[in-house]
């Protein structure tokens, strides 16, 4: 059997390990495609990623109480949180943790949401919060700036936004709360959160008080019930025995006049006793009505975050210079079908054209402002027929673009006059 003979030079070089990028990574087009050219032998140099914060930093002023941050805890997705003071640790918001002869800086956070969960997190698991779009742009820039492909994959896995179906609603609500918090000052955020914690503590105390009162009442009722005399119990047992005897006698005498039984009931006979067991109806459904309603209407049930993913894909499309309206609609429909199948394991054959206009173009005007050439042929002086919904939506978009152009012209004139 013939075997390949390797030269001394080839044996001294180790074959580089191929790394596979996580397919769940939400940011696309962040890694360079490999080429077939031979890789030159270069001396390895240690590179530092600009996006990773050193865990052993001693800067206690990196975050202050009232700062809104992105936080990463275990397998949970990146979640909006608020830097706050820990009452259990003397009211401090930061501390150092010694692990493996290394000092790590940690900060105390409350996660936004109705459950008010909290944790101590290291600086590596925290980022300044400035909105969802800023996070996406920061992650894409961080992935593109690193030198090696292994570092790109590492950052891609670190910044992925994989939110489960169960957590999606809570995640969207947390982002809305964090966006609202950005409109306030740090002192206003702290005071608002302090009032929220006091309100929750009051409600919890009232709930505990009600539970204690209910338990005392149940104990007293049980004690009252157990004080029943033996004579009363014996009378009850005699009455039950008498009722059974009367029932057997009635069934025996009126056997020919027994009531009719539905064909769906099950009949059990035991000597002279006849009992009927009626089936329990079941209304179990594999999918809820709203989900079926949307899918049957060819409308993908997507969250705001998932719609923003599609919008970001269109705004940064690889062929953004020459992409047409039909190509953009096809891109959005394919992405929506993939998300629906990943979330609900349901394949959609088609998607309504009105969804693309209502949920993408009209809801996020930044797309139509960037791709104005799609609607240059729309006649603005003629109102379309009301029966054609798509022409009405295109006419509405053309009016939005015209208003935007006039606003830009007015701003440029104001600048020139000044």
């Amino acid at each position: 059997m013939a075997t390949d003979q390797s030269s001394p030079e080839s044996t001294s070089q180790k074959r580089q390990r191929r790394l596979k990028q996580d397919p769940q990574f939400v940011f696309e087009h962040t890694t360079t495609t490999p080429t077939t050219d031979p890789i030159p032998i270069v001396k390895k140099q240690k590179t530092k990623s600009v996006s990773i914060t050193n865990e052993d930093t001693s800067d206690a002023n990196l975050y202050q109480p009232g700062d809104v941050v992105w936080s990463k805890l275990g397998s949970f997705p990146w979640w909006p949180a608020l830097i706050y003071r820990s009452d259990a640790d003397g009211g401090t918001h930061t501390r150092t943790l010694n692990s493996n002869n290394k000092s790590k800086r940690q900060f105390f956070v409350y996660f936004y949401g109705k459950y008010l969960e909290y944790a101590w997190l290291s600086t590596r698991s925290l980022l300044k919060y400035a909105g969802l779009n800023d996070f996406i742009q920061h992650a894409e820039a961080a992935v593109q700036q690193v030198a090696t492909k292994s570092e790109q994959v590492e950052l891609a896995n670190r910044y992925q936004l994989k939110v489960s179906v169960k957590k999606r609603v809570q995640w969207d609500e947390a982002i809305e709360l964090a966006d609202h918090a950005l409109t306030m000052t740090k002192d206003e955020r702290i005071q608002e959160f302090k009032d929220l914690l006091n309100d929750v503590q009051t409600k919890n105390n009232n709930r505990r008080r009600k539970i204690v009162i209910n338990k005392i009442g149940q104990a007293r009722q049980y004690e009252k019930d157990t004080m029943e005399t033996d004579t009363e119990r014996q009378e009850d047992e005699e009455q039950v025995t008498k009722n059974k005897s009367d029932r057997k006698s009635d069934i025996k005498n009126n056997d020919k006049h027994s009531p009719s039984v539905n064909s769906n009931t099950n009949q059990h006979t035991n000597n002279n006793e006849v009992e009927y067991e009626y089936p329990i109806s079941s209304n179990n459904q594999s999918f809820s009505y709203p989900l079926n309603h949307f899918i049957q209407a060819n409308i993908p049930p997507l969250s705001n975050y998932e719609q923003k993913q599609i919008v970001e894909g269109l705004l940064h499309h690889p062929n953004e210079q020459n992409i047409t309206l039909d190509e953009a609609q096809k891109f959005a429909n394919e992405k929506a079908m993939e998300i629906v199948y990943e979330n609900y394991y349901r394949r959609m054959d088609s998607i309504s054209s009105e969804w693309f206009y209502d949920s993408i173009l009209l809801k996020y005007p930044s797309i139509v402002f960037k791709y104005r050439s799609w609607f240059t042929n729309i006649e603005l002086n003629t109102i379309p027929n009301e029966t054609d919904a798509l022409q009405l939506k295109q006419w509405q978009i053309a009016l939005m673009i015209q208003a935007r152009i006039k606003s830009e012209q007015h701003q440029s004139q104001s600048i020139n006059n000044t």
Side-chain angles (χ1 to χ4, degrees):
M1 179 181 297
T3 58
D4 296 336
Q5 300 294 332
S6 58
S7 61
E9 295 181 357
S10 62
T11 55
S12 62
Q13 300 178 7
K14 294 184 179 179
R15 178 179 298 176
Q16 294 186 354
R17 182 181 179 183
R18 298 182 62 184
L19 298 175
K20 183 178 180 182
Q21 185 174 355
D22 191 347
Q24 298 292 344
F25 180 49
V26 73
F27 311 111
E28 300 178 353
H29 313 295
T30 57
T31 57
T32 57
T33 56
T35 60
T36 57
D37 298 335
I39 302 176
I41 301 175
V42 182
K43 184 178 180 180
K44 294 184 179 180
Q45 297 179 354
K46 294 184 179 180
T47 59
K48 294 184 179 180
S49 176
V50 296
S51 60
I52 297 179
T53 307
N54 191 7
E55 288 191 1
D56 59 357
T57 178
S58 59
D59 188 5
N61 298 323
L62 183 61
Y63 298 106
Q64 294 295 328
D67 287 341
V68 184
V69 295
W70 286 102
S71 58
K72 187 72 171 69
L73 177 63
S75 60
F76 287 92
W78 285 92
W79 203 279
L82 179 71
I83 301 293
Y84 203 74
R85 297 186 183 276
S86 174
D87 294 336
D89 296 274
T92 181
H93 73 286
T94 182
R95 68 183 184 184
T96 55
L97 179 66
N98 295 324
S99 177
N100 297 328
N101 297 327
K102 292 183 180 180
S103 179
K104 297 181 180 180
R105 173 65 59 181
Q106 290 185 330
F107 291 88
F108 185 78
V109 301
Y110 268 103
F111 302 100
Y112 278 107
K114 61 181 180 180
Y115 297 112
L116 295 178
E117 297 175 326
Y118 53 87
W120 284 95
L121 298 178
S122 63
T123 54
R124 176 180 171 82
S125 302
L126 298 173
L127 290 173
K128 284 285 186 180
Y129 184 91
L132 178 60
N133 293 334
D134 179 80
F135 180 89
I136 295 175
Q137 294 174 2
H138 171 81
E140 290 178 344
V143 172
Q144 293 174 358
Q145 289 177 7
V146 294
T148 63
K149 186 175 180 180
S150 60
E151 290 179 329
Q152 289 179 344
V153 175
E154 179 184 357
L155 286 181
N157 292 331
R158 182 189 173 202
Y159 286 118
Q160 65 177 349
L161 289 174
K162 185 178 180 182
V163 186
S164 63
V165 177
K166 295 181 180 179
K167 295 290 185 182
R168 184 172 294 106
V169 176
Q170 301 174 19
W171 192 75
D172 289 338
E173 293 176 353
I175 290 181
E176 292 180 1
L177 292 174
D179 291 340
H180 173 69
L182 290 181
T183 62
M184 300 183 293
T185 63
K186 289 185 180 181
D187 294 336
E188 291 174 344
R189 297 172 199 161
I190 294 174
Q191 185 61 41
E192 183 185 53
F193 204 79
K194 182 180 179 181
D195 295 339
L196 178 62
L197 290 178
N198 292 335
D199 184 48
V200 171
Q201 184 66 29
T202 303
K203 291 181 179 179
N204 289 337
N205 292 337
N206 294 336
R207 188 180 297 110
R208 293 191 189 99
R209 189 178 297 109
K210 289 181 180 180
I211 293 174
V212 171
I213 293 174
N214 291 335
K215 288 184 176 180
I216 294 175
Q218 292 174 0
R220 290 178 178 176
Q221 184 65 31
Y222 176 78
E223 182 180 359
K224 181 180 178 180
D225 294 340
T226 54
M227 291 174 65
E228 184 179 10
T229 61
D230 295 338
T231 304
E232 293 174 346
R233 294 177 183 175
Q234 184 176 1
E235 291 177 355
D236 292 340
E237 292 176 359
E238 291 176 355
Q239 185 65 31
V240 171
T241 304
K242 182 180 179 181
N243 291 340
K244 288 184 177 180
S245 300
D246 294 342
R247 183 184 175 189
K248 291 180 180 179
S249 178
D250 292 341
I251 293 173
K252 184 175 181 180
N253 295 331
N254 301 315
D255 187 33
K256 294 182 179 180
H257 304 284
S258 59
S260 60
V261 182
N262 191 292
S263 59
N264 292 331
T265 61
N266 297 326
Q267 179 177 346
H268 302 279
T269 62
N270 184 9
N271 296 332
N272 293 329
E273 295 185 357
V274 180
E275 296 180 359
Y276 297 98
E277 182 179 309
Y278 292 88
I280 300 176
S281 60
S282 176
N283 295 325
N284 294 332
Q285 296 180 355
S286 58
F287 292 95
S288 61
Y289 171 76
L291 178 61
N292 283 330
H293 172 74
F294 281 116
I295 293 181
Q296 290 175 2
N298 294 329
I299 300 175
L302 305 183
S303 65
N304 292 334
Y305 163 69
E306 291 164 342
Q307 292 176 0
K308 289 179 182 179
Q309 279 187 278
I310 298 176
V311 171
E312 290 295 326
L314 288 173
L315 292 175
H316 304 89
H317 195 274
N319 191 26
E320 59 181 344
Q321 299 296 333
N322 302 316
I323 187 173
T324 63
L325 178 61
D326 294 336
E327 292 174 348
Q329 184 173 357
K330 181 180 179 182
F331 173 85
N333 292 347
E334 291 177 351
K335 289 293 182 182
M337 290 179 180
E338 292 177 2
I339 295 173
V340 171
Y341 180 75
E342 180 181 355
N343 293 343
Y344 308 106
Y345 300 100
R346 296 287 297 272
R347 295 192 181 276
M348 299 186 66
D349 297 331
S350 61
I351 293 180
S352 173
S353 299
E354 295 184 6
W355 170 84
F356 176 67
Y357 284 87
D358 293 334
S359 300
I360 302 298
L361 299 183
L362 290 173
K363 190 174 181 179
Y364 303 95
S366 57
I367 296 179
V368 297
F369 293 154
K370 180 175 182 178
Y371 302 106
R372 302 178 182 181
S373 59
W374 293 349
F375 306 96
T376 54
N377 298 327
I378 303 298
E379 294 289 340
L380 298 177
N381 298 327
T382 304
I383 301 177
N385 191 351
E386 295 181 357
T387 57
D388 194 336
L390 292 182
Q391 287 187 0
L392 279 173
K393 297 180 189 300
Q394 292 176 355
W395 180 72
Q396 182 180 357
I397 292 174
L399 290 177
M400 292 169 53
I401 296 175
Q402 185 186 38
R404 178 62 177 266
I405 293 174
K406 290 182 178 180
S407 176
E408 293 174 352
Q409 292 175 352
H410 178 71
Q411 291 179 359
S412 61
Q413 290 178 0
S414 300
I415 294 174
N416 293 333
N417 293 334
T418 56

